[in-house]
Amino acid sequence: MSSLPGIALADWRAQGREFDFAGHAIRYWTAGQGEPLLLIHGFPTASWDWHRLWQPLAAKYRVIACDMLGFGYSAKPRGHAYSLIEQADLQQALLAHLGVDGPVHVLAHDYGDSVAQELIARHQEGRLQLASCVFLNGGLFPETHYPVLTQKLLLSPLGPLLGRLFSRAKLKTNFDRVFGPQTPPGEDELDAFWALIAHNDGPKVMHRLIRYIPERQLNRERWVTAMQRTEVPMRVIDGAVDPISGAHMVRRYRELIERPDTVLLPAIGHYPQTEAPAQVLEHYLDFRDGVAAAPAA
């Protein structure tokens, strides 16, 4: 499936460290040297999603990632009101913890795209400095985000029950729908994804995490306006056959964003960083070469 070998989950977990965010233990990873590159994962998985890209990127940049609050090996407080705004606060807190105070490059996926949109809005407000931003498949625009049935049910009054009943088998069913037909996750990879979700009773907070979907609608104008006005270089690298945020999302991006920089990966689904990591790496490094070659504003 991949020409990039990746990192076994047990090895990945061992490489992580922890810091405190508002009284919650957050697991994070960092490697490499050079310009800081912040990797922001999606729902419902965690930063191990980047494991196939981690070492190639760390050979060129200082890569930084955390499991956001409610995800992976980080704290998953039960009664918490999770929000994308707070997750953006978390990313800024992690950068401060690591002493990163200059411009930061961002590579985001899915739920992480919304966090990155909030960071772009904060860049426009002078609250942090971004050097570039690349989005993988994600719901950049609520009008083109087509959630799967499980997501819809998690948002309903049945959400708490559905979360408790969520299982590896249900995860496989959902992933089979959103991955490309030739690039489904293998059994070992599914085991790892499920271990990250199940850790620390994660399914019991899924109905709280899913509130990001209406939160995207609430923040749409602010986020899209920031993307339309920013000088931060942006690119979308998108798995075209993703039913949630595939080619249809890219069409909308091209309508709304001036001089859109987009790459469609044929036959790839919602998780291009695990389905086609070598292609994602190639298009990401090409983007960064263009950013480096651009004249300073």
Side-chain angles (χ1 to χ4, degrees), residues 191-214:
D191 285 342
F193 284 134
W194 174 243
L196 288 160
I197 294 167
H199 182 75
N200 199 16
D201 285 335
K204 293 180 180 176
V205 301
M206 288 177 76
H207 67 290
R208 290 182 170 272
L209 289 170
I210 202 69
R211 301 303 303 173
Y212 75 86
I213 292 179

Side-chain angles (χ1 to χ4, degrees), residues 9 26 32-33 39 42 47 55 60 74 81 86 101 117 145 147 150 182 210 212 217 221 263 266 287:
L9 183 60
I26 299 297
Q33 295 180 327
L39 307 177
S47 56
Q55 289 168 325
K60 298 181 72 71
S74 289
E86 183 183 41
D101 57 4
Q117 286 177 292
H145 178 252
T150 296
Q182 279 81 50
I210 202 69
Y212 75 86
Q217 295 167 334
E221 183 176 355
V263 177
F287 168 79

Side-chain angles (χ1 to χ4, degrees), residues 4 8 54 59 71 86-87 107 145 147 149 153-154 175 179 218:
L4 301 180
W54 187 254
F71 294 88
E86 183 183 41
Q87 304 286 18
L107 174 57
H145 178 252
L149 179 61
L153 290 173
L154 281 169
F175 274 7
F179 274 64
L218 186 66

Side-chain angles (χ1 to χ4, degrees), residues 212-260:
Y212 75 86
I213 292 179
E215 193 180 356
R216 279 173 169 170
Q217 295 167 334
L218 186 66
N219 288 285
R220 183 200 182 278
E221 183 176 355
R222 177 168 177 263
W223 291 348
V224 174
T225 299
M227 292 171 68
Q228 290 171 326
R229 293 179 177 173
T230 192
E231 296 297 317
V232 172
M234 298 184 297
R235 171 173 282 186
V236 170
I237 304 172
D238 197 86
V241 299
D242 171 20
I244 302 174
S245 50
H248 61 283
M249 188 281 290
V250 174
R251 283 194 297 273
R252 185 64 172 149
Y253 186 91
R254 290 169 178 165
E255 291 171 1
L256 291 171
I257 304 300
E258 192 175 349
R259 298 185 304 278

